[in-house]
Amino acid sequence: MQQRCVTLACVIGIVMSAGATSAEDPPYAYRQLLPGETSLSDVLAALGPPTIKTRSEDDLRYPVPGKPGLSDRLYFRGGVLTLVTSASDDPRYPDRAAIESAFGKPEAEVVFRTQAYLDYSENGLKFICDDAGNTTGVIYFAPTRRRVPRG
């Protein structure tokens, strides 16, 4: 049991320290990993083996430190990272104000009573914000064309 706890602590430490994303990285970079470009082997080298089991080798899950029950999930196609759904904090996007300051109004928005989904497909990002405007999740993917026409 003690060995298992030490191993888990080491893995969490690796994930937390692995490639912190900086302002110089593309907007859609997750921990310096780029959807559409980064290989599965490069992700494993950066983040270590996943600690949450999934049914597919193309689906890696890592627990989010300090957020029990939440995880970051990385999806692959043909050995290349294609999508990341993340509950981890990204200091570049702490809240809706910072997001709109960086990218302007969302291309599309879905508003619910307690949260909003903000679509920035041209930047390879979608955000989930709570009703106070705090970012609670980010989806990272290779930039693509707008899903909703302008205007």
Side-chain angles (χ1 to χ4, degrees):
M1 177 68 170
Q2 185 176 5
Q3 175 67 25
R4 192 172 185 196
C5 290
V6 169
T7 302
L8 181 58
C10 289
V11 169
I12 289 172
I14 290 168
V15 171
M16 286 180 67
S17 64
T21 303
S22 71
E24 292 78 38
D25 290 316
Y28 63 98
Y30 166 81
R31 299 186 182 274
Q32 297 181 326
L33 305 170
L34 299 175
E37 298 178 29
T38 305
S39 70
L40 174 59
S41 59
D42 288 340
V43 168
L44 291 170
L47 300 180
T51 57
I52 300 173
K53 300 290 183 205
T54 63
R55 294 182 185 169
S56 171
E57 294 177 3
D58 292 332
D59 178 6
L60 306 181
R61 289 182 64 191
Y62 298 88
V64 177
K67 296 183 178 181
L70 297 180
S71 63
D72 289 352
R73 202 160 187 171
L74 292 78
Y75 298 92
F76 297 82
R77 183 175 298 133
V80 176
L81 179 64
T82 58
L83 179 78
V84 177
T85 60
S86 175
S88 291
D89 296 331
D90 186 327
R92 299 174 298 172
Y93 314 120
D95 54 34
R96 184 178 183 136
I99 294 164
E100 288 189 0
S101 176
F103 305 113
K105 295 287 183 195
E107 299 166 24
E109 178 176 1
V110 178
V111 180
F112 297 97
R113 178 178 242 168
T114 60
Q115 61 186 359
Y117 296 108
L118 312 177
D119 186 339
Y120 291 91
S121 291
E122 291 179 319
N123 293 288
L125 294 161
K126 293 182 184 182
F127 299 95
I128 303 165
C129 295
D130 64 19
D131 57 353
N134 300 305
T135 305
T136 59
V138 183
I139 301 172
Y140 303 86
F141 53 94
T144 186
R145 65 177 177 75
R146 271 180 95 88
R147 294 176 354 108
V148 177
R150 294 186 195 279

